[in-house]
Amino acid sequence: MENGAAKPVIVAIDGPSGTGKSSTSKAVAAQLGLSYLDTGAQYRAITWWMVTNGIDIEDPSAIADVAGKAEIVSGTDPGNPTITVDGTDVSGPIRTQEVTSKVSAVSAVPEVRARITELQRSLAKSAEIGIVVEGRDIGTTVLPDADLKIFLTASPEARAARRSGELKGADVNATREALIKRDAADSSRKTSPLAKADDAVEVDTTELTLSQVIECVVTLVEEKRAAK
Ligand code: DC
């Protein structure tokens, strides 16, 4: 670019769980000096708030009624991504089995999605150099004008093996079943389901190491930046 600073670059990374989305997105953002947003953490945070406040997760209208109550704040430094709800650090509690098993139901409620999507768009808008936003509907719904859209995939076996590794030796078969169930729920919901945008680059990570995936995405971002 000849005059002034480069324009911010917006990168959307979508895909199901266990494809290496978070590790890849964080590393790419860190390497390129971009901000980073984990949108799954935001849906987990609002789910944590619902559980903590005794909201009936089986009742979408009860969830919709209180969708605007929790104040969710995401820190976007890829070296130290933070998440708070009403000022409380919930980075640990949002990873419990209870929240994981309830997050698909909460995130399917349109009022919840509208609220969280608004937060995501405002964070992306305020990123000065650019941002890597990871999730399920970023390329299709949240940031349809993103400069680069990546859709990560991997076989269910590879995804389950990675997740069980993260969960320190959890049973691979049980993890695989839980992942498949959650992906089916996330892909079949009516409002902004997990989906690949038509203009997204699909990267199958089954046979790739994490460093290979990172390198591939960094190259794609650099190409886009050079063309801006
Ligand atoms: O990425 P994760 O596993 O932490 O995401 C948790 C859940 O949040 C996932 O099962 C579906 C939901 N989610 C969503 O609906 N839309 C997003 N953009 C990100 C996550």
Side-chain angles (χ1 to χ4, degrees):
M1 218 188 220
E2 279 177 16
N3 295 317
K7 281 195 200 147
V9 65
I10 308 282
V11 182
I13 304 192
D14 290 299
S17 3
T19 50
K21 252 188 350 253
S22 292
S23 312
T24 303
S25 304
K26 245 183 283 184
V28 169
Q31 268 191 43
L32 297 174
L34 305 176
S35 299
Y36 160 74
L37 178 62
D38 173 359
T39 64
Q42 296 177 308
Y43 285 103
R44 287 172 178 272
I46 198 162
T47 302
W48 174 86
W49 186 93
M50 299 280 166
V51 171
T52 306
N53 286 280
I55 310 300
D56 181 3
I57 302 296
E58 309 289 319
D59 180 356
S61 67
I63 294 175
D65 283 348
V66 293
K69 293 221 164 179
E71 198 205 345
I72 296 168
V73 177
S74 303
T76 57
D77 173 356
N80 180 32
T82 55
I83 180 125
T84 62
V85 177
D86 300 332
T88 300
D89 173 8
V90 292
S91 47
I94 61 169
R95 304 286 162 194
T96 59
Q97 189 49 44
E98 185 178 24
V99 169
T100 302
S101 66
K102 294 181 170 159
V103 64
S104 290
V106 174
S107 59
V109 175
E111 287 79 359
V112 168
R113 299 207 73 79
R115 174 86 203 299
I116 302 286
T117 297
E118 195 185 306
L119 285 178
Q120 293 161 353
R121 288 184 178 147
S122 105
L123 283 166
K125 213 171 160 185
S126 63
E128 280 175 19
I129 298 178
I131 189 165
V132 178
V133 184
E134 60 140 311
R136 304 290 193 291
D137 61 337
I138 310 306
T140 53
T141 306
V142 179
L143 302 167
D145 297 328
D147 298 293
L148 175 66
K149 300 177 186 178
I150 308 277
F151 195 80
L152 294 183
T153 61
S155 70
E157 288 69 27
R159 298 194 289 117
R162 289 173 191 165
R163 266 293 145 99
S164 339
E166 282 167 19
L167 301 173
K168 306 228 170 19
D171 176 65
V172 181
N173 287 332
T175 306
R176 183 172 173 274
E177 294 316 308
L179 272 185
I180 290 173
K181 199 171 149 204
R182 191 147 64 91
D183 291 343
D186 295 339
S187 305
S188 62
R189 68 169 172 242
K190 281 208 185 99
T191 313
S192 56
L194 161 64
K196 176 181 170 295
D198 291 338
D199 52 351
V201 180
E202 184 165 336
V203 180
D204 183 345
T205 69
T206 309
E207 304 290 338
L208 301 179
T209 63
L210 178 59
S211 342
Q212 287 172 321
V213 182
I214 295 166
E215 199 186 315
C216 164
V217 178
V218 164
T219 306
L220 290 167
V221 179
E222 279 174 336
E223 282 169 9
K224 282 285 168 186
R225 262 179 160 178
K228 263 170 99 84

